[in-house]
Amino acid sequence: MSHRTAADPMRQGKRDVHCSDCATESTVTPAVAVCDRCGCGVCGRHAHVLGRPVDGPVGAGCPECRLTQRVTCGVCHAAEAFEHVRCAG
């Protein structure tokens, strides 16, 4: 994998995506995923990876696998946890 510098003509007009949760901590960290709920960039430290059941036929992956991965940021993860508590009570 080649790393391109900002001066590289192949990178013109492109922007790096950074972690939204890190930005609230005044740090800049490249995002490795996008939150499934709000679309913010998320780094590996702030990513919450959850299994979500697959509806319908399974795609090109493992035929026995019935879960897919879902990534959320810290804010959405906390909001979803609160929604589950609120709905249960």
Side-chain angles (χ1 to χ4, degrees), residues 13-75:
K14 296 183 181 179
R15 302 275 187 236
D16 292 331
V17 177
H18 295 104
C19 177
S20 177
D21 289 340
C22 283
T24 63
E25 300 168 353
S26 300
T27 60
V28 177
T29 308
V32 297
V34 175
C35 176
D36 183 54
R37 185 169 177 166
C38 71
C40 286
V42 186
C43 71
R45 184 168 63 97
H46 286 114
H48 296 270
V49 182
L50 307 166
R52 179 170 61 183
V54 176
D55 295 330
V58 178
C62 169
E64 296 85 30
C65 298
R66 300 301 300 170
L67 290 178
T68 185
Q69 289 185 339
R70 178 176 178 259
V71 177
T72 56
C73 66
V75 173

